[in-house]
Structures are given as C-alpha cells and as structure tokens.
Amino acid sequence: MIEDDVRHLLATAAGPEPGPAPVEQIVGAGRRRARRVRFAQVTGTVAAVAAVAADIWWGVHPQSGPSLFAAAPTCPAVVPAAALPEWARAGFSEAGMTMPYVLGERSEVVAILWPDLVAPAPEGRNNKIRWVVREHTTEPFTVTARLGTATVTTTMQRGPGPSTIDVPGPGCWTFDLRWGTHQDTLVLPYGAG
Amino acid sequence: MSGVQQGQFVAARFGPLVRAARLQGCPPADAEDAAQDALIRCLATWSRVAAADDPEAYAYRVLINGLARRGRRRWRGEVPWASPPETPPGAGPEDAVVVRTAVAAALDRLGTDHRQVVVLRFFADLSERRTAAVLGLVEGTVKSRTARALARLAADPALADMLSWPEEDRR
C-alpha cells in the first residue's frame, strides 16, 4: 500500500527525535505570554468599564455636554492567522488561504489584514485591509471606523476589495460596513505605530 | 491550571511537532523554534487546550498557523530544486539521508496545502476528520487533497524506487 510506504518515508525523512524538550523554558515562556494576554484583556475591560462609567456620568449630567466616549470594544492585540471561510478565498491561491482575518458580526464580510495594523501609520507604510463579502457585489462599499469621537470614513465605489485605512491612534476600532442593503460590523486592533 | 499537565503536554508534543515542522520544510533550527513557539502559544491559552476535544490536533493547528505566519514574515523554507541533487559517486551517503533528500524534494513539489495534508495524515497519523479540523477544511477536501497528493508522490521521479504503487497506476 502506498499509504504505508508514505508513512515509512515520512517517518525517516522527519529525521531523528530532537533532544529532550526544554520543558521548563517553554512552560515559563507560556506563563509569561499568558500574563501578557490577561493583561491585554484586563486593560481592554477596564477601558470599556471606564468608558461606560463616563457615559453614565455624562448621562446623569447632560448639561455637561455630549459624551466624549463610546463604550470601548475589546479586541485581541494581534489577529491570528486562520483558514479563511470558503466564500472568502476567491483571489487567493490555495497556499494563501491561511490569513489573519476578522469575520463580521453577521458573518457577511471578512477583513483580511496584512501586515498587522498600526496607528498612526509609519512613514512609507499603509494599513492594508482587503474586504471580502459573502455575496459578490460591485455596489459602493462604505467603511466607517470609529473609536471614541474619532471617525474615519472611506467608500470604495466599485465594491469591496483592497483598501488602505489609516486611523489617527491605536486601539480597538469599530468598523461599520455598508453596501447596498447590507450592513455588518467588526472590530480591528490597531497597535501603536 | 496544572503545571504538571503542561509539562507533560510539552514533553509529549515537542518531538512530534519538531519533526512535523521539518517535514513542512523548516530547517532543523527553525523547526525547533516553530515547535517551541507553538507550545508556548498553547500554554498561554491553556484553558482552551484543556477544554479541546483533541489537544494533539489543537497543537498541530497552532504549529501550522505559526509556520504560515513565519512564511509570510521572513522564513522562506527550503528552496525547491527541479530534480534531486546527484549523489556524488563513491560518496556512499547513508540510506536515511538519501530518503530525506528525496522526500524533501517531493514534498516541496507538492505545494503547501497538499504537503500539510500528507504530513498530518501520514506522519501525525490524524484521521481525515481530525486533519480537517486542524486545517479548517471539510473532510471531503481533505480526502480529495490526500488522493491527489498520493498520486503526485507516486508519480514523483525522486521516489520512484521507494513506493510500491503499481506501475500501471502511476500517473
């Protein structure tokens, strides 16, 4: 059976077992990474709570003026690479199907990122996002990014596709996406530039 | 969270992940880095690993994703060659080296997707269902990729003397 031959060949070609695993080193690094992840989550939660508290404060004291804060969403510091939904793979070679992407809340759209997003964008580098919608369209695709009171809007007249969306500061930006009668929302992390 | 469980997980998974990374085309030093990185990521989200139906498959998934990230950022893997290098006359390399060279060349020619499926199915010994879960595919896709990959390996001249596929079935 060719399967058995392939198994044997792969076992040989994989080379010898490496030396013993550096268990303590890996476990220690894993704990440090876990702390960083928890810190990022806590920071996001605290920011959200602070924003909500600020909104309540401004709600109780409406004479003070409009709210300066919206409830801040949380998001991972880095968007992990994963296999794209099948409907989002058009235009990618099979080898490129594993990409960092974020799926819209309604699963109508994906934002494919490369590389990680940073704000403000360093000179000579733009934040590239490719938008893919579940049902192909050539209708104008409007992107509105919001964080607090800051807003960035752009419209792709020929429908979703590659875009450059630079925002003024780092954080979890909420993207409101509209095309035709469709709408979806997602949150993208912009790291500090 | 159990440090003992984590240690056991690392000790058990390190070797297979390193060897799987080598088969994905990583040079040996990079393969160990890739395996360590995958395990560190697993430990950082240990609750997910502990809750996973298949922690072994979860670790392979993290490894595959990590290799994809490395490929995009800096690591470019081995450079495929059109045909296996000639064996120097009289050099008498050991059989394992000959096999390693021929298999590496054949895997390079398969392309990333088919290579992933072959390594997961026949090195990691994952079922079609588990392979599909690792790669985020449906089982049917894994099945068809496996069949295509095996046919291409059977037809690869570098492996001509190493596979027992009947000659009339080779294409």
Side-chain angles (χ1 to χ4, degrees):
Chain A
M1 286 288 288
I2 188 171
E3 288 92 341
D4 293 335
D5 290 341
V6 170
R7 277 193 185 89
H8 174 71
L9 289 177
L10 291 179
T12 305
E17 284 283 342
V23 175
E24 287 184 16
Q25 182 188 343
I26 292 173
V27 170
R31 285 184 180 147
R32 286 192 294 277
R33 188 179 177 89
R35 278 197 292 272
R36 285 199 301 274
V37 170
R38 277 199 298 275
F39 177 76
Q41 289 169 339
V42 168
T43 305
T45 304
V46 168
V49 169
V52 170
D55 262 355
I56 292 170
W57 169 261
W58 289 109
V60 170
H61 301 85
Q63 70 279 12
S64 302
S67 171
L68 296 179
F69 304 98
T74 58
C75 58
V78 175
V79 176
L84 287 166
E86 294 222 4
W87 52 266
R89 293 178 187 172
F92 289 96
S93 65
E94 282 197 83
M97 280 182 193
T98 304
M99 303 285 290
Y101 75 89
V102 175
L103 183 66
E105 285 180 4
R106 298 183 180 182
S107 301
E108 293 287 323
V109 63
V110 292
I112 302 168
L113 318 178
W114 69 95
D116 293 335
L117 305 172
V118 291
E123 200 171 316
R125 180 187 151 175
N126 295 318
N127 291 296
K128 294 190 175 70
I129 303 173
R130 177 170 174 156
W131 304 96
V132 182
V133 295
R134 183 184 288 271
E135 293 174 21
H136 176 73
T137 181
T138 55
E139 291 186 279
F141 185 82
T142 300
V143 178
T144 304
R146 295 189 319 274
L147 179 62
T149 55
T151 301
V152 174
T153 300
T154 186
T155 298
M156 286 167 267
Q157 295 297 338
R158 287 182 290 183
S163 66
T164 297
I165 300 184
D166 294 331
V167 295
C172 295
W173 284 75
T174 299
F175 282 73
D176 179 46
L177 312 159
R178 292 170 192 270
W179 66 104
T181 58
H182 297 265
Q183 182 197 350
D184 207 341
T185 303
L186 49 78
V187 178
L188 297 179
Y190 279 73
Chain B
M1 183 189 298
S2 161
V4 175
Q5 280 182 338
Q6 291 184 342
Q8 288 171 344
F9 180 79
V10 169
R13 301 312 327 149
F14 181 69
L17 290 178
V18 169
R19 298 179 78 214
R22 287 181 199 149
L23 288 173
Q24 295 292 350
C26 270
D30 277 349
E32 297 207 4
D33 283 351
Q36 285 193 29
D37 185 53
L39 288 167
I40 288 167
R41 285 172 184 273
C42 286
L43 298 189
T45 53
W46 182 246
S47 58
R48 285 188 214 165
V49 177
D53 292 336
D54 191 345
E56 181 187 7
Y58 189 99
Y60 277 117
R61 178 170 196 153
V62 176
L63 176 75
I64 296 276
N65 288 342
L67 292 175
R69 274 194 305 276
R70 282 166 173 249
R72 279 194 302 277
R73 285 180 187 164
R74 58 179 176 81
W75 179 74
R76 290 291 175 270
E78 294 176 3
V79 178
W81 51 83
S83 57
E86 293 290 331
T87 304
E94 293 183 14
D95 288 351
V97 176
V98 174
V99 169
R100 212 171 296 156
T101 305
V103 172
L107 290 176
D108 279 339
R109 282 189 281 272
L110 275 186
T112 304
D113 293 340
H114 290 86
R115 182 177 195 149
Q116 288 173 346
V117 168
V118 164
V119 171
L120 291 173
R121 289 282 289 111
F122 301 113
F123 171 74
D125 244 352
L126 301 187
S127 65
E128 286 171 351
R129 184 183 60 79
R130 296 171 76 197
T131 302
V134 170
L135 297 176
L137 302 170
V138 296
E139 278 186 61
T141 304
V142 170
K143 195 169 193 159
S144 60
R145 282 188 191 171
T146 304
R148 278 199 297 271
L150 287 178
R152 285 165 66 179
L153 289 177
D156 196 299
L159 305 180
D161 300 327
M162 300 179 188
L163 296 173
S164 56
W165 189 287
E167 189 63 33
E168 60 270 21
D169 288 349
R170 290 177 185 247
R171 279 192 51 78

